[in-house]
């Protein structure tokens, strides 16, 4: 393989009155710029549908009924899934359609498992606001019961 890399050649045709090092350098620079322009940068992670189609791979999709898609994005990023999100608001509640490359199906399945586990853990956790409201009510109830207080003054009386 090393020999394949080292033996690549480039054919340039230059019209010049005199071939100098500067002319050759300018020609090679133009060639490299043209080569760089021809390459399109492929995006990764969350992207638009147009950018996803530029990958040239077959696309698949999955519907998600939950509008809390924010938990899914970090999971997909962790597993390197290239995806696009579309909101289908014709249904009630609105569905999210996740469009992804078909070859990423295994990675997406793993990301969905982690997403579901995070969602379940979040739902099972007790609400901090509800606990705080209950503690406030309990404190207010105790405050109403403490009307009698004894005041002891310790000191020397003359």
């Amino acid at each position: 393989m090393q020999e394949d890399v080292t033996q690549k050649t480039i054919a340039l045709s230059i019209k010049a009155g005199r071939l100098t090092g500067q002319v050759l350098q300018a020609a090679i620079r133009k060639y490299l710029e043209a080569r760089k322009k021809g390459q399109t940068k492929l995006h990764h992670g969350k992207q638009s549908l147009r950018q996803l189609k530029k990958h040239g791979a077959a696309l698949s999709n999955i519907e998600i009924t939950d509008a809390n898609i924010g938990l899914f994005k970090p999971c997909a990023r962790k597993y390197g899934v290239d995806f696009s999100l579309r909101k289908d608001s014709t249904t009630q509640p609105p569905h999210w359609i996740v469009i992804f490359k078909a070859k990423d199906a295994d990675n997406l399945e793993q990301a969905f498992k982690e997403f579901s586990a995070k969602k379940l853990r979040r739902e099972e956790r007790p609400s901090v606001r509800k606990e705080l409201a209950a503690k406030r009510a309990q404190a207010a109830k105790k405050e109403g019961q403490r009307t009698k207080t004894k005041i002891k003054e310790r000191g020397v009386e003359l």
Side-chain angles (χ1 to χ4, degrees):
M1 182 169 158
Q2 184 66 19
E3 292 175 9
D4 294 338
V5 174
T6 57
Q7 293 191 11
K8 288 186 179 180
T9 58
I10 301 170
L12 292 174
S13 70
I14 304 169
K15 263 189 178 176
R18 181 187 264 176
L19 186 63
T20 62
Q22 292 176 342
V23 173
L24 185 61
Q25 184 181 13
I28 291 174
R29 187 174 291 131
K30 280 189 175 186
Y31 166 75
L32 291 174
E33 287 174 6
R35 186 174 168 189
K36 197 177 216 180
K37 276 186 182 178
Q39 296 174 347
T40 58
K41 182 182 176 192
L42 296 177
H43 296 273
H44 298 287
K46 183 183 175 195
Q47 53 195 300
S48 70
L49 188 58
R50 177 179 287 165
Q51 291 168 340
L52 192 61
K53 285 181 182 178
K54 284 183 182 177
H55 287 264
L59 300 177
S60 299
N61 64 2
I62 291 179
E63 279 190 23
I64 302 176
T65 56
D66 192 18
N68 192 4
I69 201 68
L71 283 176
F72 172 70
K73 291 176 191 175
C75 296
R77 190 178 311 121
K78 178 180 176 183
Y79 289 99
V81 178
D82 298 333
F83 66 98
S84 177
L85 294 173
R86 292 282 176 248
K87 186 176 183 179
D88 182 17
S89 55
T90 58
T91 60
Q92 196 62 18
H95 290 271
W96 287 91
I97 300 172
V98 180
I99 303 167
F100 60 95
K101 292 192 295 187
K103 69 176 187 175
D104 288 345
D106 295 334
N107 292 347
L108 187 77
E109 184 180 331
Q110 196 65 27
F112 265 116
K113 284 181 184 177
E114 188 172 323
F115 165 68
S116 301
K118 276 187 180 181
K119 186 70 179 155
L120 285 174
R121 276 193 305 246
R122 194 172 264 192
E123 288 175 356
E124 290 174 357
R125 271 192 307 199
S127 172
V128 175
R129 289 185 179 180
K130 287 180 182 177
E131 282 185 28
L132 188 59
K135 296 288 183 184
R136 281 184 185 159
Q138 191 178 22
K141 191 175 182 182
K142 283 184 179 180
E143 193 67 33
Q145 292 175 355
R146 281 197 244 158
T147 55
K148 296 181 182 179
T149 57
K150 293 182 179 180
I151 299 174
K152 292 183 180 180
E153 292 183 23
R154 294 183 181 168
V156 179
E157 291 183 16
L158 294 174

